[in-house]
Amino acid sequence: MKQKSLFIFGIVIIGMVLFSGCAEEPVICGKCQYKSENQCIDYVCCADSDCDDNNPNTADFCENPSTLNSNCKHESVDLCGNGEIDLEETSENCCIDVGCPQDKLCEENKCVEKKIEYVVAVKEKDSFFDLAEYFAEKKNAKLIIFNNADDLVEQLHDISPEYLAIVLSPEELTPDFVDEIDEKLREIDEDLFLDVSYGIITSFSIEEGYIYVDRLLDYKTPNDFSVYGINQIYFFKRLKDWYGIEVFDRCVEGYGSSACNDEFRATVDRIAQEAKEYEILNFGLHGAPDAMALDNGESLNGTRNGLVGKKPTGEMECHIEGNSEVCTPSTEEVPITLNSSLVSAFSCTTARINGKPSVVHTEYGDTDAKGEINSSIVLSALKSGALNYIGSAHVANTAIFPNQTIALEAVLKGKPIGIALKDFKNNYIFNKIFAGKTLEAKPKASDFTIGFIEYQVRNWVLFGDPSIKISNKNIKPKDCIQEYTESSEIQTIKGKNYLVKNIETTVKFNENGTEITNTQLLDLPNDDITNVSPNFSCAIHIPLEGKLKDYTVSFEGVNERFNSYFEENGIIENAGDELIVIIPSWVPIGGESGTIKLNFSIQMEE
């Protein structure tokens, strides 16, 4: 009995131990954990922030967050372009953010050689060397130091700038040097055309040169402007009648005006009072290196103190020369103040600053008039306030004046004056090439004619900054280019990309009995410079964004006799940076009254 009681007591004791307060408590896991076999185990991830790998070049994601299938994913992220320099970014892989070395620029996120748009050139030992350095620095231009014209062109070969400013003392600017520069600047590439828009920057002295250059640098193109002229060619007169631009014109007799009413006659006093109020001056006057002639013995003259007007006083001034008394009419000088962005002087030899040509082409009407620095019309006009001056270094011929191109391009279209003058020159270089061809109804011109055109092309010189715009207007001229539409696309041929430009244009030469062409092709029947025969023509300049590979052209409205004009060696020329097409007015069906439709497809290497 006693043993049974002890057994029962043991069972009770064991039960009390097993079911007492010593039982195991339940397991509670964290937010990003799960329980397995009474243990808490971390999920791989519950949010994107759990997957941060401390690499700024990856984006971190949590797939299937807070599940047994959760997983971190890391995707590469291109941070280039966020405006910050991130880890492992360099100029080679992200120039958008990092930038490029000073001599390169970032294009399509690649560092490429910087296109030099503007070059300033100076001779190494010229007294204006410091002025050239100053202008180049302020203009953010490349400075070139050259010894002669050949040296300059050699250095320009690999640069091909848009603009060139030649900074030189006036002593260097002989007619021979000015002519040679114009000819040599056509040799920058392999074609025969002028390859850069250039101007010459000079002054009476380097001290005055700094003042002049600062005016160039401070110039801002006006939103509005007005034109003042004497015997203006009709292209400038059309600015008022056709486009509503303020144009005021005075006259003198014997230069484009057979009669001149006193009410509109240009006099020294009127010019002194009026010219300073106009932004563009356009003078059609008989000229010399030191003067432009007015009526009644008056003139505009160059002096070391600036441009002046001279008028007779009615008295005589006498002095003794040897044993004789010499008397000349006494004159009064009136200072002329200018505030013009451009003076275009269609006046012979006013751009002849220092000396005379070594070869005087009398066959083309030139003279041996000598330029004197202290009486230079150009230098005097610049000192009196003109910013830019276009004039002729030799005797000019009214058949080849740049007035039409200046009016259409620099005034109406707002092109830089250097570009407009370059286009004018290239139109007549085209004329020179065209004159040497034998085409249907056009025999080869004489060597005399070809030489005359060349002489006139190099004749016109810009003194000033070729990049300056004298107008902010963008007016479609009423000229022969009636319609012009352009589109482009990239084509890949044999693994190489080509830019293809497609152009549709309509050309018309006459509207309601009025000639509306924009250039001319000249001939000299019987080699007579007094009987120049201008053939009104239409010039189309098509910019090339790469090296020309090929082009095709289709057309309607052309007299079938002249279809060959649009073939190779016809009226289309590659000028390197543009395709130039000049169509004579005799080519359309119906001649000058006809209309031509043209379609070009131009293939260029990128």
Side-chain angles (χ1 to χ4, degrees):
M1 255 331 260
K2 184 176 180 180
Q3 289 179 340
K4 185 176 182 180
S5 297
L6 290 173
F7 175 77
I8 294 171
F9 178 76
I11 292 174
V12 171
I13 293 300
I14 291 170
M16 290 176 63
V17 171
L18 292 174
F19 296 102
S20 68
C22 294
E24 186 177 322
E25 296 182 1
V27 176
I28 300 175
C29 295
K31 184 178 180 181
C32 196
Q33 294 178 319
Y34 66 94
K35 186 167 61 176
S36 176
E37 297 181 356
N38 220 31
Q39 291 184 355
C40 291
I41 300 175
D42 293 336
Y43 290 116
V44 173
C45 61
C46 296
D48 292 342
S49 58
D50 298 329
C51 296
D52 187 1
D53 61 358
N54 294 316
N55 185 348
N57 295 318
T58 61
D60 307 313
F61 303 99
C62 179
E63 293 183 331
N64 305 312
S66 302
T67 69
L68 293 176
N69 295 323
S70 62
N71 180 53
C72 279
K73 187 175 182 181
H74 308 285
E75 294 182 355
S76 295
V77 174
D78 187 3
L79 297 177
C80 185
N82 65 358
E84 299 179 359
I85 301 177
D86 297 298
L87 187 66
E88 298 181 0
E89 284 187 348
T90 66
S91 59
E92 284 74 24
N93 61 26
C94 186
C95 64
I96 296 175
D97 292 341
V98 180
C100 293
Q102 189 173 3
D103 60 340
K104 296 185 177 182
L105 59 90
C106 188
E107 288 186 356
E108 298 181 357
N109 203 27
K110 292 181 180 179
C111 288
V112 298
E113 293 296 326
K114 187 181 293 184
K115 166 69 174 173
I116 298 174
E117 184 178 68
Y118 205 112
V119 166
V120 175
V122 65
K123 288 189 174 182
E124 183 174 9
K125 296 181 180 180
D126 190 74
S127 60
F128 277 34
F129 186 92
D130 290 346
L131 178 63
E133 282 191 316
Y134 174 78
F135 185 65
E137 178 185 357
K138 296 294 185 180
K139 201 73 177 176
N140 195 25
K142 180 178 179 63
L143 182 68
I144 282 181
I145 302 167
F146 69 101
N147 297 312
N148 51 49
D150 286 321
D151 181 30
L152 174 61
V153 170
E154 182 66 29
Q155 295 186 64
L156 291 173
H157 273 307
D158 297 327
I159 301 175
S160 299
E162 186 80 50
Y163 304 105
L164 169 66
I166 302 171
V167 181
L168 288 174
S169 59
E171 288 80 7
E172 292 284 342
L173 299 176
T174 64
D176 288 352
F177 174 81
V178 172
D179 286 350
E180 184 184 21
I181 283 293
D182 191 87
E183 293 172 348
K184 290 295 183 181
L185 289 177
R186 306 175 204 175
E187 298 177 9
I188 296 175
D189 59 21
E190 63 273 10
D191 60 69
L192 300 175
F193 293 88
L194 184 62
D195 298 313
V196 64
S197 302
Y198 77 96
I200 297 172
I201 293 179
T202 189
S203 187
F204 280 120
S205 68
I206 189 169
E207 293 79 15
E208 293 178 28
Y210 279 104
I211 296 172
Y212 171 54
V213 160
D214 281 339
R215 289 198 293 117
L216 289 173
L217 294 168
D218 291 341
Y219 173 77
K220 297 211 174 8
T221 307
N223 291 324
D224 203 6
F225 59 87
S226 52
V227 181
Y228 179 86
I230 304 171
N231 286 356
Q232 296 186 87
I233 309 299
Y234 69 92
F235 295 108
F236 271 88
K237 292 181 179 179
R238 284 180 175 179
L239 294 176
K240 178 179 180 180
D241 298 336
W242 289 13
Y243 308 102
I245 294 172
E246 182 184 349
V247 176
F248 185 77
D249 190 40
R250 289 203 175 275
C251 59
V252 297
E253 293 182 0
Y255 190 107
S257 177
S258 57
C260 181
N261 189 301
D262 282 344
E263 180 183 356
F264 297 103
R265 190 180 308 280
T267 67
V268 165
D269 290 334
R270 286 172 171 171
I271 295 170
Q273 181 180 5
E274 297 165 350
K276 61 188 175 184
E277 305 298 329
Y278 292 81
E279 290 76 25
I280 300 172
L281 305 183
N282 178 38
F283 294 156
L285 298 168
H286 287 297
D290 62 349
M292 290 186 281
L294 302 172
D295 288 338
N296 302 319
E298 296 190 345
S299 60
L300 298 177
N301 293 75
T303 75
R304 185 61 182 78
N305 295 319
L307 194 65
V308 301
K310 289 187 177 182
K311 57 182 184 177
T313 63
E315 300 179 355
M316 301 295 289
E317 290 183 350
C318 299
H319 63 278
I320 301 297
E321 286 188 7
N323 296 323
S324 304
E325 183 181 39
V326 178
C327 296
T328 57
S330 174
T331 59
E332 176 188 352
E333 290 190 358
V334 179
I336 306 294
T337 299
L338 305 176
N339 294 300
S340 52
S341 58
L342 175 65
V343 174
S344 53
F346 307 119
S347 306
C348 298
T349 68
T350 60
R352 188 176 290 182
I353 290 179
N354 183 28
K356 56 186 178 181
S358 59
V359 177
V360 179
H361 289 282
T362 54
E363 70 274 26
Y364 301 139
D366 203 8
T367 73
D368 63 353
K370 184 179 180 181
E372 301 282 356
I373 292 172
N374 285 337
S375 59
S376 163
I377 282 284
V378 173
L379 298 179
S380 300
L382 298 179
K383 180 166 183 174
S384 290
L387 271 184
N388 303 277
Y389 186 104
I390 293 177
S392 63
H394 302 275
V395 172
N397 187 291
T398 55
I400 307 183
F401 275 6
N403 62 87
Q404 181 179 20
T405 311
I406 298 297
L408 293 176
E409 296 193 4
V411 176
L412 293 179
K413 295 182 180 179
K415 285 188 176 183
I417 52 176
I419 298 286
L421 189 61
K422 176 190 169 193
D423 286 349
F424 159 78
K425 286 176 175 285
N426 280 342
N427 283 348
Y428 284 97
I429 293 172
F430 183 106
N431 190 172
K432 173 186 165 185
I433 297 170
F434 180 79
K437 295 179 179 180
T438 300
L439 297 171
E440 175 68 28
K442 193 212 82 67
K444 181 181 181 295
S446 67
D447 290 342
F448 182 91
T449 294
I450 294 170
F452 171 78
I453 297 170
E454 167 58 37
Y455 161 83
Q456 291 295 340
V457 168
R458 66 173 184 262
N459 191 11
W460 296 98
V461 188
L462 166 64
F463 292 88
D465 181 351
S467 70
I468 277 183
K469 293 183 177 183
I470 60 174
S471 165
N472 267 332
K473 295 188 181 297
N474 186 15
I475 298 173
K476 169 67 176 72
K478 297 178 182 178
D479 68 357
C480 52
I481 303 175
Q482 298 288 291
E483 298 174 6
Y484 187 97
T485 59
E486 180 180 305
S487 62
S488 59
E489 59 180 337
I490 301 295
Q491 290 185 0
T492 302
I493 303 174
K494 295 182 179 180
K496 189 170 184 178
N497 289 338
Y498 295 92
L499 175 65
V500 178
K501 181 183 287 188
N502 298 300
I503 294 165
E504 297 180 5
T505 185
T506 302
V507 171
K508 191 175 182 180
F509 297 88
N510 190 293
E511 189 172 87
N512 300 323
T514 300
E515 170 267 314
I516 54 172
T517 55
N518 60 12
T519 192
Q520 51 194 1
L521 294 170
L522 301 180
D523 194 11
L524 272 70
N526 304 316
D527 293 344
D528 181 2
I529 64 172
T530 66
N531 185 31
V532 180
S533 175
N535 297 296
F536 293 121
S537 305
C538 188
I540 306 171
H541 291 252
I542 304 173
L544 299 177
E545 287 77 25
K547 184 177 180 181
L548 178 67
K549 179 175 175 58
D550 196 10
Y551 70 85
T552 59
V553 57
S554 60
F555 45 84
E556 299 176 15
V558 173
N559 187 319
E560 62 180 11
R561 287 183 61 198
F562 306 116
N563 285 354
S564 61
Y565 278 39
F566 295 90
E567 298 172 359
E568 188 175 358
N569 199 34
I571 58 173
I572 303 174
E573 294 287 343
N574 177 13
D577 59 346
E578 62 182 352
L579 207 62
I580 301 178
V581 186
I582 299 186
I583 307 170
S585 58
W586 67 75
V587 167
I589 296 173
E592 188 175 314
S593 61
T595 299
I596 297 175
K597 292 184 177 181
L598 297 165
N599 293 278
F600 294 90
S601 180
I602 303 168
Q603 190 179 85
M604 295 160 279
E605 295 180 6
E606 280 200 303

